[in-house]
């Protein structure tokens, strides 16, 4: 639904803009090229073919991966803290990098692999800071890196000793495994979308629309089955799979209805811009840029007083941003031995691959 809200929004904007212009000038070599994000894909005679007929069903594959990954991550979040959830999600960039090399025959240089490791390390430090850093109102944070290291080791040791023999430890392990497994499906989705955009001539906006159709259809079918088998029973009534109770809450509570619509719009826009990045750069670059969402979430949380400031998180965010810039060739690698000998494609080519 969110994907189709984005598609409808673009259709309305294009219609009003076309009416205001009155006419569209013919394209010529001397005129300035259109914005690459809005420029339609042109099929190559040798490499790229239009996606028509039953080939559109291929877009159901990334949609299924998206649904599976989202379900696993949301269920896993019920068993672990948000900080552990964020740390585990950091493994996404490594999975995307490995899958791109194996299935898409991409070549990643040594400095790019080191950049992926730096991104994962930065996300891990951010999550670890949220998990073990003390409350500033109760106890001041350590003032040196030595004290920080001692605190990390002591907290980790105490946590293992106190939870190794409790049911919560098993729940945490299950939650981490589910979130880690979700990253495999998300990485598969990114790689599949890059392969489809390279092989077939189709605009990212249409990809978002078709994935929205397939995702919505599969979700409704699955929810109907779960409601019939679980939600409609005496034991499952008022539970997660009770469709009647879900509809009652959406219609009776304004906050739930408004937040649901906003979430749909956010997800639709996220998919469109993510596909645009995949089309112009690569799935691995998309995953590294996507990881930087943690930084903006942290800034908003601080502004809303949902989270307290921790210096250890600054270290994680510096590594996160540096790894992203390093992978996308915005900054150079400090060690020449890790630098590539042959220059690859720039971050944003003058003519993206789909328009050549």
């Amino acid at each position: 639904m969110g994907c189709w809200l984005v598609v409808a929004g673009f259709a309305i904007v294009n219609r009003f803009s076309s009416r205001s212009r009155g006419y569209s000038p013919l394209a010529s070599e001397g005129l300035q090229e259109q914005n690459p994000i809005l420029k339609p894909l042109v099929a190559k005679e040798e490499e790229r073919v239009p996606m028509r007929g039953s080939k559109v069903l291929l877009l159901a594959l990334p949609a299924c991966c998206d649904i599976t990954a989202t379900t696993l991550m949301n269920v896993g979040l019920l068993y672990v803290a948000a900080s552990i959830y964020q740390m585990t999600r950091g493994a996404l960039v490594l999975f995307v990098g490995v899958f791109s090399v194996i299935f898409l025959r991409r070549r990643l240089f040594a400095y790019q692999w080191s950049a992926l490791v730096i991104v994962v390390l930065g996300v891990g430090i951010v999550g670890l800071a949220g998990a073990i850093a003390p409350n500033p109102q109760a106890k001041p944070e350590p003032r040196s890196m030595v004290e920080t290291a001692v605190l990390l080791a002591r907290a980790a040791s105490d946590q293992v000793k106190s939870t190794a023999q409790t049911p919560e430890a098993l729940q945490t392990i299950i939650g981490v495994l589910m979130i880690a497994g979700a990253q495999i499906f998300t990485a598969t989705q990114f790689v599949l979308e890059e392969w489809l955009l390279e092989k077939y001539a189709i605009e990212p906006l249409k990809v978002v629309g078709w994935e929205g159709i397939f995702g919505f259809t599969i979700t409704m079918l699955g929810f109907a089955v779960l409601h019939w088998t679980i939600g409609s029973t005496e034991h499952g009534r008022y539970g997660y799979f009770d469709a009647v109770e879900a509809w009652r809450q959406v219609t009776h509570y304004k906050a739930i209805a408004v937040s649901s619509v906003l979430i749909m719009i956010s997800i639709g826009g996220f998919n469109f811009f993510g596909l645009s990045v995949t089309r112009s750069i690569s799935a691995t670059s998309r995953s590294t840029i996507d990881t930087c969402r943690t930084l903006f979430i942290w800034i908003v949380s601080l502004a809303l007083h949902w989270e307290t400031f921790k210096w250890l998180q600054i270290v994680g965010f510096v590594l996160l941003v540096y790894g992203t810039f390093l992978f996308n060739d915005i900054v150079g690698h400090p060690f020449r031995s890790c630098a590539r000998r042959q220059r690859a494609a720039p971050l944003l080519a003058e003519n993206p691959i789909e328009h050549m």
Side-chain angles (χ1 to χ4, degrees):
M1 292 297 293
C3 296
W4 272 101
L5 287 175
V6 174
V7 173
F10 270 92
I12 295 173
V13 171
N14 289 335
R15 173 165 294 186
F16 278 99
S17 61
S18 62
R19 288 181 178 179
S20 61
R21 288 195 303 265
Y23 71 95
S24 298
L26 296 176
S28 62
E29 296 181 357
L31 296 178
Q32 186 178 1
E33 292 187 357
Q34 190 179 358
N35 188 341
I37 297 298
L38 302 178
K39 187 175 180 180
L41 301 181
V42 179
K44 295 182 183 179
E45 294 182 359
E46 298 180 356
E47 300 179 8
R48 199 180 301 274
V49 295
M51 179 172 282
R52 299 173 181 172
S54 60
K55 294 179 181 179
V56 177
L57 296 176
L58 291 174
L59 295 175
L61 297 177
C64 292
C65 292
D66 190 10
I67 294 172
T68 305
T70 303
T71 302
L72 289 175
M73 284 190 290
N74 288 337
V75 175
L77 186 58
L78 297 175
Y79 297 102
V80 300
S83 56
I84 299 178
Y85 168 85
Q86 191 61 50
M87 283 189 291
T88 311
R89 286 194 73 243
L92 173 63
V93 293
L94 290 180
F95 284 123
V96 175
V98 172
F99 289 175
S100 297
V101 172
I102 295 176
F103 300 108
L104 298 179
R105 305 300 181 184
R106 294 286 185 268
R107 181 184 178 186
L108 296 181
F109 295 89
Y111 82 98
Q112 291 177 315
W113 285 112
S114 63
L116 295 181
V117 174
I118 291 174
V119 169
V120 175
L121 181 62
V123 175
I125 292 178
V126 171
L128 194 62
I132 66 176
N135 188 348
Q137 298 179 355
K139 181 180 178 180
E141 293 194 13
R143 299 180 180 179
S144 65
M145 294 302 296
V146 176
E147 294 178 358
T148 302
V150 173
L151 176 62
L152 296 180
R154 183 181 302 170
S157 176
D158 295 341
Q159 186 72 13
V160 171
K161 291 179 181 179
S162 61
T163 63
Q165 304 298 328
T166 61
E168 288 78 7
L170 180 60
Q171 293 182 358
T172 302
I173 294 175
I174 294 175
V176 169
L177 291 177
M178 295 182 71
I179 298 171
Q183 307 318 304
I184 297 178
F185 286 99
T186 303
T188 304
Q189 175 195 351
F190 286 3
V191 173
L192 278 173
E193 288 173 343
E194 182 177 356
W195 176 74
L196 291 172
L197 288 173
E198 285 187 351
K199 186 175 182 179
Y200 297 98
I202 183 172
E203 299 89 338
L205 191 60
K206 289 186 178 180
V207 176
V208 171
W210 280 112
E211 286 188 4
I213 291 177
F214 291 127
F216 179 76
T217 304
I218 296 172
T219 301
M220 294 306 296
L221 290 176
F223 193 66
V225 173
L226 292 173
H227 173 74
W228 181 263
T229 57
I230 301 176
S232 59
T233 62
E234 190 67 26
H235 180 71
R237 188 168 299 172
Y238 304 109
Y240 295 115
F241 306 112
D242 189 350
V244 177
E245 175 63 18
W247 178 255
R248 187 192 68 83
Q249 292 183 9
V250 171
T251 55
H252 285 73
Y253 297 96
K254 183 179 179 181
I256 296 178
V258 173
S259 61
S260 298
V261 174
L262 294 178
I263 289 173
M264 287 191 294
I265 297 175
S266 174
I267 293 175
F270 169 78
N271 290 335
F272 168 70
F273 292 113
L275 282 168
S276 300
V277 172
T278 300
R279 180 195 65 175
S280 299
I281 314 176
S282 68
T284 312
S285 296
R286 172 185 176 183
S287 64
T288 57
I289 298 172
D290 173 65
T291 310
C292 290
R293 280 189 299 163
T294 310
L295 174 61
F296 297 100
I297 294 173
W298 178 67
I299 294 174
V300 173
S301 299
L302 288 178
L304 297 177
H305 303 286
W306 291 352
E307 190 172 342
T308 57
F309 181 84
K310 304 177 181 64
W311 284 105
L312 189 59
Q313 289 180 326
I314 295 294
V315 178
F317 286 127
V318 169
L319 292 176
L320 178 62
V321 174
Y322 174 72
T324 302
F325 284 2
L326 177 62
F327 183 88
N328 293 289
D329 296 330
I330 299 177
V331 297
H333 200 283
F335 302 103
R336 293 184 178 180
S337 59
C338 294
R340 55 184 173 184
R341 297 179 181 178
Q342 180 181 1
R343 183 174 178 81
L347 176 62
L348 287 177
E350 294 181 0
N351 293 317
I353 56 175
E354 71 277 7
H355 301 313
M356 292 181 179

